[in-house]
Amino acid sequence: MSFTAQLDALRQEALKDLAAAADLALLDRAKGAWVGPHGKFTALMKQLGSLPKEEKPAAGKAINTAKVELEAALAARREALELKSALPKEPTDFTAPGRRRTVGKLHPLTQVTEDIVRCFRKIGFVVADGPELEDEYHCFDALNTPADHPARDAQDTFYIGGAAPQPLLRTHTSSVQIRVMKSQPPPIRIIVPGRVYRRDNADATHNPTFQQVEGLYVDRGVTAGDLKGTVEFVFRELMGPDTKIRFRPHYFSYTEPSFEIDFSNPLVKKLGKDWLEIAGCGMVHPQVFENVGYDPEVWTGWAFGFGIERIAMLRYGITDIRLFYENDARFLRQF
Ligand code: DAH
């Protein structure tokens, strides 16, 4: 048999074989048998050198044509088999009922935040917002917190690194007080729900990120009585009409005087306690007003801040703060 006749016979056989491969593994096997290093087609190509000189050009051309053809057949079969393997094995039943997409729920912390916002809206507060990536000026300096204050310790604050004013993750929402007061004249009546960050190790009552609500009220003739009345109203709305609150003297650099707020209700009693510390607050320090360009002889105000998780934990009887951040659907579905 002449070389080209041999070639043609082999070519036809190879094409049939490749086209018949029933899956990708069988196709790979067929590929090896024909065009692999020890394949029959490869072996034939090796014979080219031993042909008489005058037959070589025609034989070489025929080999190249056949090679291109085999490669195309291989690629076409591969594509067809890949498509086939990607299709469902079972036939589709177009009459089957549709799959319902489950409706999601608001995260319990979002639900509690929305409740808090609703309470404050009733008495004329609006929501304000500020960046979580803050700087030392808004988080500390302008709030009258000096550079040697322990709150600024790198042990407690996530510093991001960078040029002054040093970027950091805000440790409290109080920084937004400064941003709002710098951007508008009084009167101001805002709350600021938002995420804050501290370098705490996570345990049942600590998490390196948590949520706070800040409040700020600035006007003429604002008193601590307004503060107490407001806090009492909001906590009764949130935690039930039998909620009691009390103020204890405390220290914050941005308020003077400052207080810590304790509250009490049947949920607290259930924990075996009389009072639970829930928030910090006070009358805005005159130096803070100076820092934002408000005249402290004209304007008075109060501010407060509290954690949202603590309220959510009490309300729902949750004993580990980390559950809020694990995003386990089995936990989240319950609220
Ligand atoms: N920033 C305080 C904290 O994170 C809470 C706080 C206390 C906010 C007193 C205030 C305030 O606005 O007046 O613990």
Side-chain angles (χ1 to χ4, degrees):
M1 218 189 324
S2 76
F3 182 81
T4 43
Q6 267 185 63
L7 176 67
D8 198 48
L10 218 54
R11 182 185 68 94
Q12 298 218 16
E13 208 184 324
L15 285 174
K16 231 194 282 168
D17 209 18
L18 293 178
D23 61 34
L24 288 165
L26 289 172
L27 185 67
D28 275 336
R29 192 145 4 126
K31 180 184 170 190
W34 292 102
V35 293
H38 305 291
K40 292 186 203 169
F41 189 77
T42 315
L44 192 69
M45 277 166 69
K46 284 181 189 151
Q47 288 177 28
L48 189 64
S50 57
L51 287 183
K53 205 172 162 192
E54 61 280 11
E55 283 180 27
K56 270 190 191 165
K61 211 170 150 196
I63 280 197
N64 278 337
T65 312
K67 202 171 150 196
V68 170
E69 204 180 347
L70 287 186
E71 268 160 14
L74 195 64
R77 187 67 189 147
R78 181 174 300 281
E79 199 180 326
L81 289 173
E82 273 170 359
L83 185 63
K84 193 172 143 203
S85 74
L87 289 176
K89 304 281 172 280
E90 299 286 319
T92 306
D93 177 1
F94 292 103
T95 66
R99 223 172 284 147
R100 198 178 284 269
R101 202 172 287 188
T102 53
V103 179
K105 282 187 147 188
L106 291 178
H107 192 283
L109 290 178
T110 307
Q111 292 184 37
V112 172
T113 305
E114 287 191 350
D115 281 351
I116 294 168
V117 168
R118 211 171 299 131
C119 296
F120 279 103
R121 284 231 170 99
K122 287 185 184 170
I123 48 175
F125 281 75
V126 296
V127 172
D129 195 12
E132 291 174 21
L133 184 57
E134 260 297 357
D135 53 49
E136 287 194 299
Y137 175 76
H138 292 91
C139 207
F140 300 126
D141 295 301
L143 286 164
N144 200 31
T145 308
D148 59 1
H149 194 280
R152 294 179 67 148
D153 198 324
Q155 301 276 321
D156 302 322
T157 306
F158 287 109
Y159 285 93
I160 301 301
Q166 270 216 51
L168 50 82
L169 293 176
R170 68 180 179 196
T171 54
H172 52 186
T173 42
S174 307
S175 53
V176 185
Q177 290 187 28
I178 303 301
R179 293 199 173 263
V180 170
M181 286 194 280
K182 286 215 151 192
S183 69
Q184 65 185 78
I188 284 178
R189 209 175 333 174
I190 54 157
I191 53 164
V192 185
R195 198 185 258 266
V196 302
Y197 302 83
R198 289 186 196 170
R199 294 187 59 168
D200 279 327
N201 289 323
D203 62 27
T205 54
H206 295 86
N207 202 59
T209 176
F210 59 100
Q211 322 276 326
Q212 285 188 329
V213 177
E214 191 80 13
L216 176 67
Y217 179 32
V218 182
D219 207 333
R220 291 185 167 88
V222 172
T223 69
D226 301 324
L227 171 58
K228 199 163 181 195
T230 304
V231 170
E232 208 162 53
F233 168 77
V234 168
F235 279 101
R236 285 201 175 137
E237 286 274 306
L238 278 176
M239 308 302 278
D242 40 9
T243 299
K244 284 196 285 242
I245 62 160
R246 75 175 182 196
F247 279 32
R248 270 183 297 109
H250 200 71
Y251 171 81
F252 297 103
S253 55
Y254 29 97
T255 44
E256 180 58 37
S258 303
F259 310 99
E260 214 152 41
I261 306 171
D262 295 338
F263 90 110
S264 178
N265 76 358
L267 290 172
V268 176
K269 294 262 155 59
K270 246 194 184 161
L271 298 174
K273 291 184 181 172
D274 284 334
W275 295 95
L276 205 65
E277 163 196 326
I278 195 85
C281 67
M283 303 304 291
V284 177
H285 198 294
Q287 186 60 51
V288 174
F289 281 148
E290 297 268 4
N291 294 345
V292 298
Y294 287 6
D295 183 349
E297 296 298 328
V298 177
W299 300 106
T300 46
W302 46 251
F304 65 82
F306 61 88
I308 296 179
E309 280 82 352
R310 172 155 266 194
I311 300 214
M313 287 168 85
L314 269 169
R315 177 186 280 189
Y316 299 122
I318 296 165
T319 50
D320 194 325
I321 190 175
R322 291 168 292 194
L323 287 165
F324 290 122
Y325 292 93
E326 285 168 357
N327 279 336
D328 185 331
R330 290 168 302 180
F331 170 74
L332 297 175
R333 261 200 296 271
Q334 300 174 62
F335 307 99

